Amino acid sequence: MANTAQARKRARQAVKQNAHNSSQRSTLRTAIKAVRKAIQAGDKAAATTIFQQSVSKIDSIADKKIIHKNKAARHKSRLAAALKALSA
């Protein structure tokens, strides 16, 4: 248990930050699932617009260092490849 006032405050802050980061990661997963669902449906126009929105969310979460930039790039690349395969 935290013994100093500073340590107690940092523990409180860590709880808040963890909750916020968890929420952001959940948003990321939801965005990725939305693109995959649109691709499964076969609607290229809808999938493209959802993909654009998801890329924006993925980038913003990576900029905040909640996920690593390479992980963000990997997700975007795989979604783009799946979207491209839809038209082929």
Side-chain angles (χ1 to χ4, degrees):
M1 187 62 208
N3 291 323
T4 64
Q6 176 189 10
R8 283 191 291 273
K9 180 177 180 179
R10 293 298 292 169
R12 287 193 307 270
Q13 289 175 330
V15 170
K16 286 182 185 177
Q17 195 63 36
N18 181 271
H20 179 262
N21 289 348
S22 296
S23 172
Q24 292 292 307
R25 278 191 292 273
S26 176
T27 302
L28 170 77
R29 291 187 200 110
T30 303
I32 291 168
K33 286 177 189 174
V35 176
R36 294 205 181 279
K37 188 174 180 182
I39 290 170
Q40 282 284 328
D43 187 5
K44 185 168 171 64
T48 304
T49 58
I50 294 170
F51 173 73
Q52 299 278 334
Q53 295 166 352
S54 296
V55 165
S56 176
K57 285 182 186 175
I58 292 169
D59 283 336
S60 72
I61 291 169
D63 287 343
K64 295 172 189 169
K65 297 192 170 124
I66 294 171
I67 62 168
H68 196 274
K69 61 179 181 164
N70 291 355
K71 181 175 182 173
R74 183 173 65 244
H75 281 302
K76 291 189 299 183
S77 175
R78 288 179 181 171
L79 289 174
L83 189 62
K84 186 176 179 182
L86 180 64
S87 62

